[in-house]
Amino acid sequence: MQKSALFALAMAAAAQGAVDNSKLSPLRFREDGTFHISVFSDLHMGMYANSARGPKQDAKSVSVLASVLDIEKPDFAVINGDLINGDSTRADNSTRYVDQIVKPLVDRNLTWGSTYGNHDHQPNLSGELLLAREQTFPGARTQNMVPGGGAAAGSTNYFVPVYSATCRNVKCCAPKLLLWFFDSRGGYYYQQRDRLGRAVPHPNWVDESVVAWFEATNARLRARFGRAIPSLGFVHIPAYASVELQTRGVDPNRQPGINDEKASPQAQGWCESGTHDCAYGKQDTAFMKAIAKTEGMMGLFSGHDHANSWCYKWDGELPGVEAKGSGINLCYGQHTGYGGYGDWIRGSREIFVSLDKLKDLVIDSHIRTELGDVINPVSLNATYGQDSYPVSPNDKTYL
């Protein structure tokens, strides 16, 4: 069946409410023991929606998705925040931009999960509405597992287990890998105004209720299966530890990647008291502590800062950070969309997991550019940060 026909059937099923993603087959490693993830960040669909530029750049963004998927052929895709530039869209059309984003995935019969970012929480766009739209398409694993979540705690807090190829009944098997998704929120509350008619800012960090859910859920899984399960985390806005790691110095050979802007972390612009106009309010401390102490957590992957694409091993103490790193790799993706600021070459971060390397908590990764090139290949192993790699090119692409 042609891809366009497949998508037309998916749209028809969505319109009839016939999609039930709760019955998707569990994710599994391939027969050769590998699992491949493509990560797309900062599409910013709908930016300049009322000008000739808007639809043109949206089409280019979708073409990046399609070309990368055709080359990489992943087992799973992650859309890591700022799917829609909700401050540029209307309340009645914001979520419709999801249709363009997921079309390349549905056409290829792929499955995916999303996190939402600050541009996905806007006066004309809510995380709940975005989630509802996304779930109408077959293959969407995006959900919210946090009781009482939504506007307060965010809409994309959940995990997805990945099993071995030989596991026939997941009720009887331990997962080989856990994928954790966190909503870093930000932006503004949906259709809320203060007494002066201004949009109401939405906190831009992973909520403490989500942290409590993560720790409790991970503890239950560990108790059930008798061991820590290797894990990867995805969140749109990076944790503050990335700021201090960057300040320490990003070596182009030891932490290869683009390093063209200062990291903008969770809790930026907030005060510890909960008011605004401070540089950093420390509200992501609980999240950083939880991530840093989680045994088996190999990497946390973020977007948000379009001009950064490096990984840094967080090991030890950092100035101004109450959490102590235990070796987790904090990684950026590659700016995927033609929406949003900057002309750094578009692409994706590719993550390669193998059962053999999981024994040592090692994963491999590279950036796949929209032009088809592989750049920035790294092995996130015990000596990452000491090993030397080729300097990553810093190319540009234009609309």
Side-chain angles (χ1 to χ4, degrees):
M1 183 178 292
Q2 293 185 343
K3 294 177 179 179
S4 58
L6 179 61
F7 187 74
L9 286 175
M11 289 287 289
Q16 296 172 7
V19 175
D20 184 0
N21 286 313
S22 67
K23 296 181 180 179
L24 287 172
S25 297
L27 292 181
R28 288 184 171 87
F29 280 76
R30 299 180 187 181
E31 294 289 344
D32 65 359
T34 62
F35 188 76
H36 176 184
I37 305 170
S38 292
V39 185
F40 304 97
S41 304
D42 294 281
L43 288 158
H44 289 270
M45 300 288 287
M47 189 174 180
Y48 306 129
N50 297 319
S51 72
R53 179 184 175 90
K56 186 176 180 180
Q57 68 182 23
D58 287 349
K60 287 278 281 185
S61 298
V62 173
S63 74
V64 176
L65 275 165
S67 62
V68 167
L69 292 172
D70 284 340
I71 295 170
E72 292 286 351
K73 296 179 172 56
D75 302 298
F76 185 66
V78 173
I79 308 174
N80 207 9
D82 283 0
L83 285 70
I84 298 172
N85 208 75
D87 45 354
S88 303
T89 58
R90 307 187 309 272
D92 66 333
N93 76 348
S94 289
T95 62
R96 297 284 175 168
Y97 289 95
V98 170
D99 304 5
Q100 297 178 58
I101 295 171
V102 304
K103 187 177 188 302
L105 297 160
V106 174
D107 282 348
R108 290 157 180 80
N109 198 28
L110 291 171
T111 183
W112 73 93
S114 300
T115 71
Y116 295 162
N118 48 300
H119 283 273
D120 298 314
H121 299 283
Q122 292 291 323
N124 285 336
L125 176 62
S126 77
E128 295 96 315
L129 292 175
L130 181 54
L131 177 60
R133 185 69 184 177
E134 196 175 341
Q135 288 178 333
T136 63
F137 289 93
R141 295 181 192 264
T142 310
Q143 57 183 300
N144 188 13
M145 291 183 173
V146 177
S155 307
T156 53
N157 299 295
Y158 61 104
F159 76 94
V160 180
V162 187
Y163 298 91
S164 70
T166 57
C167 175
R168 297 308 172 205
N169 184 351
V170 297
K171 295 181 180 179
C172 303
C173 305
K176 297 297 184 180
L177 177 70
L178 297 176
L179 306 177
W180 296 93
F181 299 82
F182 304 98
D183 194 328
S184 51
R185 305 179 297 169
Y188 298 91
Y189 281 101
Y190 178 63
Q191 295 189 335
Q192 289 191 29
R193 301 284 174 177
D194 65 14
R195 58 186 180 84
L196 298 178
R198 298 171 300 191
V200 179
H202 201 298
N204 61 348
W205 59 86
V206 176
D207 191 74
E208 289 194 8
S209 66
V210 175
V211 175
W213 163 82
F214 165 64
E215 292 185 309
T217 304
N218 195 51
R220 284 196 298 270
L221 290 168
R222 177 167 184 156
R224 177 182 174 185
F225 297 112
R227 64 179 179 88
I229 299 172
S231 303
L232 298 173
F234 301 91
V235 66
H236 179 66
I237 304 178
Y240 180 74
S242 294
V243 175
E244 295 299 336
L245 290 170
Q246 187 183 43
T247 300
R248 178 186 286 179
V250 176
D251 187 295
N253 289 114
R254 289 178 171 78
Q255 293 92 20
I258 302 168
N259 183 38
D260 279 358
E261 68 175 310
K262 184 177 180 180
S264 300
Q266 296 178 34
Q268 183 180 50
W270 291 74
C271 305
E272 291 186 59
S273 64
T275 59
H276 286 281
D277 302 323
C278 294
Y280 168 61
K282 298 186 177 181
Q283 287 90 344
D284 66 335
T285 296
F287 177 63
M288 286 191 291
K289 286 182 176 179
I291 291 294
K293 74 179 184 182
T294 297
E295 185 179 354
M297 181 64 77
M298 300 175 290
L300 180 68
F301 295 84
S302 304
H304 192 56
D305 299 324
H306 300 181
N308 292 333
S309 62
W310 42 265
C311 291
Y312 213 120
K313 187 178 291 296
W314 177 22
D315 200 354
E317 296 181 349
L318 293 170
V321 181
E322 296 178 21
K324 182 178 180 180
S326 56
I328 184 175
N329 297 288
L330 303 184
C331 293
Y332 282 103
Q334 185 83 4
H335 181 200
T336 303
Y338 275 80
Y341 65 90
D343 292 306
W344 297 276
I345 192 168
R346 281 71 174 183
S348 65
R349 175 168 288 283
E350 302 298 318
I351 303 171
F352 302 90
V353 188
S354 73
L355 292 177
D356 285 342
K357 292 186 177 182
L358 272 187
K359 299 171 186 175
D360 298 315
L361 299 180
V362 173
I363 55 174
D364 297 317
S365 180
H366 66 240
I367 300 295
R368 174 71 70 176
T369 74
E370 62 182 307
L371 302 179
D373 298 324
V374 170
I375 61 174
N376 198 8
V378 295
S379 179
L380 299 176
N381 55 23
T383 56
Y384 180 76
Q386 304 170 38
D387 304 329
S388 184
Y389 295 94
V391 174
S392 180
N394 189 350
D395 297 325
K396 303 291 194 298
T397 50
Y398 302 95
L399 188 62

